[in-house]
């Protein structure tokens, strides 16, 4: 057994210190299960050094902007789980510590970007945080909201708990037996070999218990026959050792699948569909469940993409970049969403290629409210369709947290509304860190620049363009002055 308080050093130079807390209890119908201890991780930045990164080096205004972006991502994620906007907003407003935790995750993932002073785009923030939130959902399930609100402490045991609907006693029994099996101390005073192996990989005993609770069969997988071969196979594919715990947490079922009869043939099948074999490590880390779907399920999705007019090459790129699309139901998600956008005049094949994650959104909760927002501002359906075609990610942004604030600021920018139809990418840039400061410079200079000239270029190129435009403006004024005399 490991000591109750251990310091781990990770490659991103964050130090995680596990703290043993008083006994938390989880209620499953009529059975109360009390775990002897709960390891929760508090992230602390290392002191700056040759390779260290200190949060104090990040400007305060950037931290503020990032918090707002993180809140927007969390809001969108919670709403996708079926929460109303009011409940999602209330959860976020009471989860300041969890928001700070998301910022730490962001900084850890993009340390080098901060060291060179480059800010992250909204899309980069989203692409970093959403997979992490998805892993938390798989781990915590129905208590995710309570975990978010009480982070970093376990869900409060003082609060009255609402008992879930009764489930089969045999199901409870399976879960209890599985959890007991992975934590059982043998005659040699050690945990089972497969558990020690997983702990050595970086998993905590409590995580392994939760994996056994979610998927009881995992507790009965042998080390040499199932777990170790799959782990070594993943490492051979180029998966980082530090990523293995995340992958197994997300999909413990992977260890129960035969390499020769299922995993490898499935991968070959997907490669024949166009998945880049050089990208398997990234694909599996993003969505390990991909390898556990039946070929019929994968084939149904691929056939639908062909039906939309996508080429085999583009389908392969979609599966590589966004393997989650396989989890979307063709009849419940993909086809209705395609029909919705097609009715707006959007080239659906182009849209799904550029932003496949859009097809996992709810039409009623996510797509229609955004469309109606723009229609209410005087745009035509054709205008909105053009915006969606030009910027596929537009519909993935939170209406309240992202679109509305940027729209309100746009109204102060003295551009015609048609400018957003030409450049809807406006909504993908940080309001506080990119849009406001750059437009302030343009306004102060007196020059005239299009939105894409202001936002879509690097800081250095923006300064060059602005300087050149100011010079031309002054030259024109001087020439006009000379002509008038």
């Amino acid at each position: 057994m490991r000591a109750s308080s251990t310091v781990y050093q990770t490659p991103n130079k964050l130090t995680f210190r596990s703290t043993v807390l008083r006994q938390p209890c989880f209620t499953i119908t009529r059975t109360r299960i009390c775990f002897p201890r709960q390891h929760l991780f508090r992230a602390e930045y290392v002191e700056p050094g040759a390779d260290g990164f200190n949060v104090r080096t990040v400007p305060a205004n950037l931290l503020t902007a990032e918090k707002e972006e993180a809140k927007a991502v969390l809001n969108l994620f919670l709403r996708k789980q079926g929460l109303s906007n009011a409940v999602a907003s209330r959860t976020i407003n009471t989860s300041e510590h969890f928001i700070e935790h998301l910022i730490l995750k962001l900084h850890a993932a993009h340390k080098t970007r901060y060291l060179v002073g480059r800010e992250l785009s909204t899309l980069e923030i989203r692409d970093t945080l959403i997979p992490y939130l998805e892993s938390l959902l798989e781990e915590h399930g129905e208590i995710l909201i309570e975990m978010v609100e009480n982070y970093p402490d376990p869900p409060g045991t003082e609060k009255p708990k609402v008992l879930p609907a009764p489930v089969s006693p045999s199901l409870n029994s399976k879960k209890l037996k599985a959890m007991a099996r992975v934590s059982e101390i043998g005659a040699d005073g050690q945990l089972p070999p497969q558990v020690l192996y997983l702990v050595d990989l970086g998993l905590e005993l409590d995580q392994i218990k939760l994996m056994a609770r979610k998927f009881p069969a995992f507790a009965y997988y042998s080390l040499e026959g199932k777990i170790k071969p799959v782990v070594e196979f993943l490492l051979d594919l180029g998966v980082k050792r530090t990523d293995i715990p995340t992958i197994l947490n997300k999909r413990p079922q992977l260890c129960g699948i035969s390499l020769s009869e299922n995993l490898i043939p499935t991968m070959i099948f997907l490669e024949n569909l166009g998945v880049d074999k050089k990208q398997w490590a990234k694909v599996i880390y993003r969505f390990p469940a991909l390898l556990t779907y039946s070929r019929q399920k994968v084939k149904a999705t691929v056939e639908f993409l062909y039906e939309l007019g996508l080429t085999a090459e583009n389908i392969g790129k979609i599966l590589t970049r966004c393997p989650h699309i396989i989890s979307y139901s063709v009849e419940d998600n993909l086809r209705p969403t395609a029909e919705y956008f097609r009715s707006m005049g959007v080239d659906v094949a182009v849209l799904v290629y550029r932003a496949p994650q859009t097809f996992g959104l709810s039409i009623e909760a996510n797509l229609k409210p955004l469309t109606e927002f723009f229609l209410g501002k005087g745009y035509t359906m054709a205008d909105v369709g053009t915006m969606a075609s030009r910027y596929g990610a537009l519909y993935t942004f939170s209406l309240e947290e992202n679109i509305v604030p940027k729209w309100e600021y746009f109204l102060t920018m003295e551009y015609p509304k048609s400018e957003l139809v030409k450049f809807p990418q406006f909504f993908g840039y940080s309001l506080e860190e990119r849009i406001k400061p750059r437009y302030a410079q343009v306004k102060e200079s007196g020059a005239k620049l299009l939105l894409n000239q202001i936002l879509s270029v690097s800081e250095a190129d923006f300064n060059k363009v602005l300087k050149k435009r100011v010079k031309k403006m002054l030259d024109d004024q001087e020439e006009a002055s000379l002509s008038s005399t």
Side-chain angles (χ1 to χ4, degrees), residues 50-227:
D51 299 315
F53 178 69
N54 195 308
V55 70
R56 291 190 294 273
T57 64
V58 181
N61 59 342
L62 177 57
L63 284 174
T64 300
E66 285 178 341
K67 282 188 178 182
E68 293 306 311
E69 296 280 9
K71 289 178 181 179
V73 171
L74 182 57
N75 181 281
L76 176 63
F77 183 80
L78 294 176
R79 290 173 63 192
K80 283 179 67 176
Q81 310 316 313
L83 272 68
S84 67
N85 183 57
V87 174
S89 297
R90 185 167 63 249
T91 298
I92 291 168
N93 290 336
T94 58
S95 307
E96 185 65 24
H97 291 303
F98 184 74
I99 298 298
E100 292 174 354
H101 169 66
L102 292 181
I103 298 303
L104 290 178
K105 282 285 182 183
L106 203 58
H107 291 171
H110 297 281
K111 180 183 67 174
T112 55
R113 301 287 293 276
Y114 290 94
L115 292 176
V116 297
R118 183 179 174 190
E119 65 197 53
L120 299 179
S121 68
T122 296
L123 283 175
E124 288 172 321
I125 292 173
R126 235 189 35 248
D127 289 346
T128 300
L129 296 183
I130 286 181
Y132 176 63
L133 292 171
E134 288 172 344
S135 71
L136 290 181
L137 177 63
E138 290 222 14
E139 179 179 349
H140 297 281
E142 61 190 21
I143 65 168
L144 175 66
I145 304 304
E146 198 172 356
M147 185 278 293
V148 168
E149 291 178 336
N150 290 277
Y151 187 88
D153 299 314
T157 53
E158 292 80 7
K159 296 179 181 179
K161 293 188 178 294
V162 179
L163 293 177
V167 295
S168 167
S170 61
L171 182 60
N172 274 343
S173 177
K174 286 180 181 179
K175 291 183 177 181
L176 289 171
K177 287 179 180 178
M179 293 169 69
R181 183 179 177 85
V182 297
S183 57
E184 183 179 9
I185 303 298
D188 59 355
Q190 297 289 322
L191 290 166
Q194 65 269 38
V195 175
L196 291 175
Y197 178 77
L198 293 170
V199 169
D200 186 58
L201 283 171
L203 284 153
E204 288 293 310
L205 179 58
D206 287 331
Q207 289 178 305
I208 300 170
K209 285 182 180 179
L210 287 173
M211 291 162 64
R213 176 174 169 242
K214 289 188 300 181
F215 188 65
F218 182 74
Y220 300 89
Y221 290 161
S222 68
L223 174 59
E224 298 297 333
K226 290 186 176 292
I227 296 175

Side-chain angles (χ1 to χ4, degrees), residues 177-421:
K177 287 179 180 178
M179 293 169 69
R181 183 179 177 85
V182 297
S183 57
E184 183 179 9
I185 303 298
D188 59 355
Q190 297 289 322
L191 290 166
Q194 65 269 38
V195 175
L196 291 175
Y197 178 77
L198 293 170
V199 169
D200 186 58
L201 283 171
L203 284 153
E204 288 293 310
L205 179 58
D206 287 331
Q207 289 178 305
I208 300 170
K209 285 182 180 179
L210 287 173
M211 291 162 64
R213 176 174 169 242
K214 289 188 300 181
F215 188 65
F218 182 74
Y220 300 89
Y221 290 161
S222 68
L223 174 59
E224 298 297 333
K226 290 186 176 292
I227 296 175
K228 193 172 181 180
V230 169
V231 170
E232 290 180 347
F233 177 72
L234 294 176
L235 293 173
D236 288 342
L237 284 176
V239 174
K240 297 176 183 177
R241 184 180 176 88
T242 53
D243 288 342
I244 297 293
T246 300
I247 291 171
L248 296 185
N249 248 323
K250 288 181 179 179
R251 207 69 171 178
Q253 295 94 317
L254 272 178
C255 293
I257 299 176
S258 167
L259 282 173
S260 59
E261 296 179 11
N262 298 99
L263 274 183
I264 294 175
T266 297
M267 291 173 68
I268 293 172
F269 175 70
L270 289 165
E271 287 172 9
N272 290 335
L273 293 174
V275 171
D276 186 351
K277 62 177 66 178
K278 297 177 182 178
Q279 299 294 319
W280 270 122
K282 291 182 179 179
V283 171
I284 294 172
Y285 179 74
R286 288 171 184 160
F287 192 56
L290 177 66
L291 298 182
T292 64
Y293 283 111
S294 69
R295 294 185 199 176
Q296 291 78 6
K297 167 70 172 168
V298 175
K299 190 176 180 181
T301 301
V302 171
E303 287 178 348
F304 177 75
L305 296 176
Y306 274 123
E307 182 184 322
L308 293 180
L310 287 155
T311 65
E313 180 183 4
N314 286 342
I315 291 173
K317 289 180 179 179
I318 290 172
L319 293 178
T320 302
R321 290 186 350 253
C322 184
H324 294 79
I325 196 169
I326 297 298
S327 67
Y328 305 155
S329 165
V330 171
E331 298 306 322
D332 295 338
N333 298 103
L334 299 180
R335 194 178 301 282
T337 301
E339 291 173 357
Y340 178 79
F341 280 112
R342 192 177 285 118
S343 71
M344 297 168 59
V346 175
D347 185 330
V348 177
V350 173
L351 178 63
V352 73
Y353 176 74
R354 290 178 177 173
Q357 65 272 29
T358 303
F359 285 70
L361 299 174
S362 162
I363 293 177
E364 295 298 327
N366 304 110
L367 305 185
K368 283 186 177 180
L370 188 59
T371 299
E372 291 166 1
F373 172 81
F374 284 117
L375 292 177
K377 302 305 178 184
Y379 292 96
T380 66
M381 186 65 81
D383 289 334
V384 182
T386 299
M387 293 165 74
S389 297
R390 290 178 174 170
Y391 190 47
L394 179 65
Y395 275 81
T396 66
F397 296 126
S398 164
L399 178 59
E400 291 79 8
E401 303 294 333
N402 187 304
I403 302 295
V404 170
K406 291 175 184 177
W407 165 260
E408 291 175 349
Y409 184 73
F410 172 78
L411 294 179
T412 71
M413 296 176 72
E414 301 176 357
Y415 285 102
K417 288 190 293 185
S418 59
E419 189 73 5
L420 288 180
V421 179

Side-chain angles (χ1 to χ4, degrees), residues 20-24 33-38 183 205-206 209:
V20 180
L21 302 175
R22 55 191 173 82
Q23 295 180 342
I33 307 171
C34 293
F35 298 123
R37 57 178 171 241
Q38 175 86 9
S183 57
L205 179 58
D206 287 331
K209 285 182 180 179

